[in-house]
Amino acid sequence: SSILTMDVDTSVARLDLTLSRMQQMFDETLQASGQEPDYILMSPLQRQKYVARVGAQMFTYSDKATAGDGGFLSLSFGGVPIESSKDCPNGMVLFLKKDTWKLCELQPGGFADLDGNVLSRDANADQYTGYYRWYWNLVCTQPAANAILTGLTLT
């Protein structure tokens, strides 16, 4: 897999997201694996920077518009959807090939039954507690088809 930083000459710790560096991430994964990412994941704060970067160059599909709206429900780069998640660290963008990721179940999900009871009474309260557990690992079958861009400015 490729992990690149925005700062190519080490003169600055963090730089703004650029379209050319995003394209380079696609080119790096294509060169390394023969495949290109089909999913981009970033922090909502990086999504703000992406929208600001492509502002005047953004193509919109107005055939579905029925009312004036200043925001976007979906974004993409070269046709590849961009999703945001609060769980994606600010300052990085993940370029993923979804079919290279597999969920390997180690034990099926179920309520924990350690002492013969699924629910346990809480002391000094009129309530019961139980918890659901599921043991699994997330495995990447082709790491070279995925990439991370880091070293982006924080907002």
Side-chain angles (χ1 to χ4, degrees):
S1 57
S2 299
I3 300 175
L4 299 177
T5 182
M6 278 301 299
D7 184 14
V8 295
D9 63 5
T10 67
S11 63
V12 180
R14 294 182 180 271
L15 295 171
D16 285 338
L17 181 64
T18 64
L19 299 179
S20 62
R21 196 65 160 163
M22 288 182 73
Q23 183 62 50
Q24 183 181 1
M25 300 305 289
F26 279 83
D27 298 340
E28 293 275 340
T29 56
L30 181 60
Q31 181 68 29
S33 71
Q35 299 184 55
E36 290 183 328
D38 58 4
Y39 190 78
I40 300 172
L41 186 63
M42 63 178 62
S43 155
L45 300 174
Q46 286 302 319
R47 180 179 60 185
Q48 289 176 5
K49 291 197 167 278
Y50 177 77
V51 170
R53 172 67 60 195
V54 300
Q57 303 163 344
M58 191 171 296
F59 299 106
T60 58
Y61 299 101
S62 60
D63 59 333
K64 296 182 182 179
T66 58
D69 194 345
F72 298 95
L73 293 177
S74 63
L75 291 170
S76 63
F77 177 82
V80 175
I82 297 175
E83 297 292 332
S84 63
S85 171
K86 65 180 182 65
D87 296 318
C88 185
N90 188 13
M92 74 169 43
V93 178
L94 307 172
F95 297 81
L96 304 173
K97 181 74 173 164
K98 289 190 291 187
D99 63 0
T100 65
W101 293 91
K102 308 293 180 209
L103 182 75
C104 298
E105 185 176 74
L106 304 174
Q107 182 178 352
F111 282 97
D113 184 9
L114 302 176
D115 60 359
N117 294 319
V118 174
L119 297 175
S120 300
R121 185 177 176 98
D122 291 343
N124 302 324
D126 188 19
Q127 66 186 22
Y128 288 84
T129 302
Y131 69 93
Y132 190 85
R133 64 179 178 186
W134 181 28
Y135 295 106
W136 54 271
N137 276 333
L138 188 61
V139 177
C140 184
T141 59
Q142 192 175 4
N146 300 274
I148 298 174
L149 178 59
T150 188
L152 300 169
T153 55
L154 307 174
T155 54

